[in-house]
Amino acid sequence: MPFRLLQLCLLLVLPLNACGLEITYSKEELQRELNKHFPQKLSVERVGTMSLVEPRLDLRSGSDRLYFQLAVEGQLGVVGKMKLAEVSVSSAIAYDASQATFFAVEPRLEGLSVSGAGQPVEAILQTAANEALPLLGRITLHRLEDDSAAKRHLKAVQIRDAEVVLTLGL
């Protein structure tokens, strides 16, 4: 009888290991998590305080990175608070098993769009964008539940069809 039980267990386990079970998280679900981390304030020498606001997530199929755009707001001189630039950033996805949490890590500046500013202001904003990257270095995207099968059997994370796909196996 124990041999039959072992066979039954193998029949149930092997398909999970061979083909993998997938769990998906939509762009909208991840966007809600991303929004919780903004605005982020940044103090820039010679300029003052700027804020990173309005994150917009972009999931690109075939890429192993998350892409998002952020508006940069700040105050230049006596002019009131205004949108100064748009920053494009990409981040890798990392999983910390001890916390059962996915993070956006290894941020990389992909682009900076400055509207109506002269060369000196653009150079300052470029410096500010580079200084802001560490703020974007460990943003929580999703925390798995304690009893989640994904927490115990996660094998791979990928971006496919504008979703983050977790592949589970044994």
Side-chain angles (χ1 to χ4, degrees), residues 85-115:
E86 186 86 14
V87 178
S88 298
V89 177
S90 71
S91 290
I93 301 174
Y95 177 67
D96 183 333
S98 67
Q99 297 180 28
T101 303
F102 291 93
F103 294 97
V105 297
E106 300 171 15
R108 187 167 56 205
L109 184 63
E110 299 289 342
L112 175 68
S113 172
V114 180
S115 56

Side-chain angles (χ1 to χ4, degrees), residues 38 40 42 44 47 49-56 68-76 80-89 109-130 132:
F38 292 91
Q40 292 221 14
L42 173 67
V44 181
V47 176
T49 302
M50 294 184 176
S51 296
L52 300 174
V53 297
E54 303 171 12
R56 290 182 314 282
F68 48 96
Q69 287 74 41
L70 297 159
V72 180
E73 288 182 347
Q75 185 170 340
L76 295 177
K81 189 174 178 182
M82 59 186 282
K83 181 177 174 180
L84 302 172
E86 186 86 14
V87 178
S88 298
V89 177
L109 184 63
E110 299 289 342
L112 175 68
S113 172
V114 180
S115 56
Q119 190 67 26
V121 173
E122 191 169 331
I124 290 169
L125 290 172
Q126 180 73 39
T127 300
N130 285 318

